[in-house]
Amino acid sequence: MAPQIRPRQRQTMPGWVSEGTPVFDPLENRRGIVQFIGEYEDPATRVSYANAVFARPEGGGSEWIVKDPSSLERG
């Protein structure tokens, strides 16, 4: 049996975004610090993202996955 092929998407993001960078996510209206940039598979759609951006509010709180990294602003 052949392995199931999952759709993969590579998201575009500004070149200045890296782990530890303060960002503003205008789609979520949230400010945070980039915690991780890496692969993520959306459990609802099973689509795999090669460079998903995970952010968390400065000082702690609930982490979120940035829906559109190209929309990030310096935060």
Side-chain angles (χ1 to χ4, degrees):
M1 178 181 231
Q4 182 179 5
I5 297 172
R6 291 179 283 156
R8 289 179 57 97
Q9 290 189 355
R10 184 158 186 83
Q11 297 177 307
T12 304
M13 78 177 84
W16 54 266
V17 175
S18 63
E19 293 175 8
T21 303
V23 294
F24 174 68
D25 182 351
L27 299 178
E28 294 288 329
N29 195 30
R30 297 175 80 177
R31 293 186 185 281
I33 306 295
V34 175
Q35 300 297 305
F36 176 72
I37 300 170
E39 190 165 327
Y40 167 73
E41 182 180 303
D42 185 328
T45 63
R46 307 303 288 179
V47 172
S48 178
Y49 296 92
N51 57 344
V53 176
F54 295 74
R56 181 180 302 143
E58 187 171 7
S62 296
E63 187 174 75
W64 76 95
I65 299 165
V66 176
K67 290 182 175 92
D68 180 8
S70 67
S71 70
L72 287 174
E73 300 172 11
R74 293 181 193 263

